[in-house]
Amino acid sequence: MPLERGGRQRKYASVLEERQCEPGEGWATLGFLDGKSQQVHLSRFSPYAPDLTAALAAPNQATGSKGQRMLVPAERVAYVAFHRRNSDMGKPPTGAKARSSLKVHVSGGHSFVVVPPGKEAQDAVGFYAEAYDLDHSYREFFFYAHGVNAKEINQPIGAMLLAEGAISAGALERGVDTQAAEKRTPLGQILVEDRKIDPEALEQALETQARRKLRLGEVLVEAGLARPEDIEYALAEQKRRGGRRIGEILVGLNLVSEVALAKTLAKKFQLEFIDLEQHNINLKALAELPKEFIEKYRVLPIDADATSLTVALSDPMAMNVIEALRAQIKKKAKEVVVTPTQLEKFIPLYLDMVESAAISDEMDELLKELVDDDTRAAEADNEVGSAKSNDSTIVKLANQIIVDAYRRGASDIHVEPNGREQGVSIRFRVDGECLTYKELPPQHRAPLVARLKIMANLDISERRKPQDGKIRLKFGDRKIELRAATIPTVNNNEDVVLRILSSARTLSLNEMGLSQRNLEQVRTLIGRPYGLMLCVGPTGSGKTTTLHSALGAINTVDMKIWTAEDPVEITQPRLRQVQVNPKIGFTFASAMRAFLRADPDVIMVGEMRDVETASIAIEASLTGHLVLSTLHTNNAPETVVRLVDMGLDPFSFSDALLGVLAQRLARALCRQCREPYIGTKEEFDELANAYGPELFGTKLGVILGPGFRLWKSKGCQACSGTGYKGRIALHELLVTNDAIKRGIQQKASAEEIRKLSIEGGMTTLLQDGIEKVMAGLTDLPQVLAVCAR
């Protein structure tokens, strides 16, 4: 039985022939895994030999010289290419199979077009194949399996789609024309993909470029966002890339489906196509690859056994990914093809499930430690004294609660002690709903609360009055920031509420869920040189996030922006952000007065809490500054009336006000398990009455019948069976016009202002919610939970 490399016996029969070379023959080229090659002389070649015996010169029978010999480990070789004799040039390959061709991609970046091999010429070690080109200097190859990245049917993907009936000839021609006319990959996209600049920096540079009519590279270098050598690299890369692939263009034009393209790509590369929705994914397979590798190369391990790892990818043409994958694992890699949409959907879902399982196991271990520790069975009379800051289990427990809440997307953590007899309830607020997380034994209430107070730099001995503080925690490469509030409750308890601050990247305006009309109007308002724009809604409705998105859209190198906030939850480069402190007299009003002496272009005020702050904001907006602020009111028209009632001069206020954006957050349907269905007449009538019967048909074009489609979620692992995951924003945007300004000056009622706003094009919060119901983003009960009829 032939030997495996390293001397191990193979478990399969030999089917590949040895090659014996006649005198005067035997020249071959060895292609190595690193892309290098070496011309050698082989008198004999066996695919099963662990080492190849080669010579750098042909043997000389007259002198008996065998040439300088070298021993090459076969595991370093990707392919052996046998040279063609001059007399063989132009001779056709053997058999009728020569009508088709196969492109073999090998490690090191090389590829060869060959005649598809028969079964007798291949096994698990590799395969023989004849060169397809009759005049090629190589007549035959042996490709080692460990050196082959991909085998590709040598036929254009468009022609294959056409042959399989997935696309018409006219549609293919349209796609080819689009590809020919399409511009190169944008310079900014290349810089972001290769991590030369951040997406936020690109957006800022594009805004500046549009105003100043400069080249993007000049703007980036001038602003210090990119180096000249980065721009030179991106220009060279842009030239090398050319346009998009034809398959990507056809999918983008809706001329072919993602599934049809993926199936054809799988056939072209002789791989299996997998539908991840119908495939059971082995969670243990994900442990075979680091999380960073999966996220970087966008691949998903879906199964594993003792010898191989099955990996799903969406682009079998990405040879760099395949080479990186094979270098990463010690097993045999088996690639399967999936659609890009499914891959992007399942990568975060399954990584999250694996991480959640690990954290859950760790939490169970921590709780077990607490239960098994006899020293915690009873509390001392002085409960504070029993809370030790260096108690490793309590420290781990507090950290684990925060990390788990962060990973679940919670906005708040509620620690609720219930006295000596009952346990400590820990609840998370996720997507606006409070959910039970864990119940801890009652004897741990004081140590846990004390630990959280220590983390927030609060006085652990003070339990009679509320305290506020901040917690900063590092979790891997992420930093978590929380606002802590303690409140004494009955039965000698002390509750702790931790709000997780959204200190991550600023969302762009395009990601805020604004309708097309509202998005265009907001961009117009923040593009004004002066005036007052307000964002209103209840606590936790995302007002600060929206204002920071607006600031991000205008945060360019030529703008000076000051913000006064309490607290500073979101940070952005180039913003000059100030934390107000009312305890020392540094209020919003005093901060704004200071800003006016500091050469601002834009001022953002965290909240207009009093008439003094509002008056200064109006004064600033009337003296050439754009002012953004928030207010706690229910809707946009009510905001106008409220500010006039506070004592503002209606004439100055009407001149300064640009617009009011009111918003709410409603629970969103889980995108993993939502599905469409035909709505009933009762649902049609309910939606029409809520929206306005006439507008429902005329503006939205909704008609009762088979085309009346709504969405529902059945519940899945991603949404923990609830059917809801995440939240969407509902908006109403009042933009002032002459009629509304006259109404403000005449101190019109909220209802009158509402009527004038609707006539001016405003969509109410409820109407915006119903439009998002029709789009399948949420359902009517969730909209009605946050909006009045």
Side-chain angles (χ1 to χ4, degrees), residues 69-226:
R69 294 203 169 196
M70 55 188 292
L71 203 63
V72 182
E75 61 188 11
R76 290 180 48 212
V77 181
Y79 65 91
V80 179
F82 301 97
H83 291 206
R84 192 187 297 274
R85 293 177 301 185
N86 290 335
S87 59
D88 290 336
M89 286 291 185
K91 287 186 178 180
T94 58
K97 60 190 177 186
R99 295 190 202 124
S100 60
S101 61
L102 187 75
K103 183 182 283 188
V104 181
H105 300 268
V106 297
S107 297
H110 300 292
S111 61
F112 302 95
V113 179
V114 300
V115 177
K119 291 183 179 179
E120 72 284 354
Q122 53 186 319
D123 77 354
V125 178
F127 62 92
Y128 285 106
E130 296 180 67
Y132 185 79
D133 186 349
L134 304 182
D135 294 320
H136 201 289
S137 58
Y138 301 149
R139 62 178 172 81
E140 188 179 27
F141 300 85
F142 181 79
F143 296 103
Y144 283 100
H146 62 256
V148 175
N149 288 340
K151 293 181 287 185
E152 173 188 359
I153 295 174
N154 195 32
Q155 186 179 1
I157 189 69
M160 293 184 69
L161 288 166
L162 187 62
E164 294 175 13
I167 194 172
S168 66
L172 178 58
E173 184 177 354
R174 180 183 166 193
V176 172
D177 290 343
T178 302
Q179 185 183 41
E182 199 170 63
K183 295 180 180 179
R184 292 176 177 170
T185 307
L187 187 75
Q189 180 181 330
I190 294 172
L191 289 166
V192 170
E193 286 177 358
D194 293 344
R195 299 185 178 180
K196 303 291 185 183
I197 63 172
D198 294 328
E200 294 82 2
L202 173 61
E203 190 172 346
Q204 295 161 13
L206 290 172
E207 293 275 354
T208 304
Q209 181 196 21
R211 287 199 306 273
R212 300 180 60 188
K213 309 299 183 186
L214 296 174
R215 293 181 179 178
L216 178 61
E218 294 173 349
V219 174
L220 289 167
V221 173
E222 179 184 320
L225 298 172

Side-chain angles (χ1 to χ4, degrees), residues 440-507:
L440 303 181
Q443 62 266 29
H444 304 307
R445 70 186 192 280
L448 178 60
V449 169
R451 175 58 194 166
L452 294 173
K453 290 170 74 172
I454 289 169
M455 294 172 73
N457 292 318
L458 302 179
D459 182 0
I460 64 170
S461 64
E462 178 56 73
R463 304 181 58 207
R464 299 167 301 168
K465 62 182 182 181
Q467 296 185 71
D468 295 315
K470 267 193 175 183
I471 295 175
R472 290 179 176 86
L473 187 69
K474 193 168 183 182
F475 166 44
D477 57 349
R478 291 171 255 182
K479 292 180 180 177
I480 307 174
E481 191 170 347
L482 305 98
R483 185 172 62 202
T486 67
I487 302 175
T489 51
V490 297
N491 297 326
N492 202 26
N493 291 314
E494 193 173 13
D495 282 30
V496 181
V497 178
L498 306 175
R499 165 152 290 193
I500 301 176
L501 303 179
S502 53
S503 56
R505 70 178 183 90
T506 305
L507 298 175

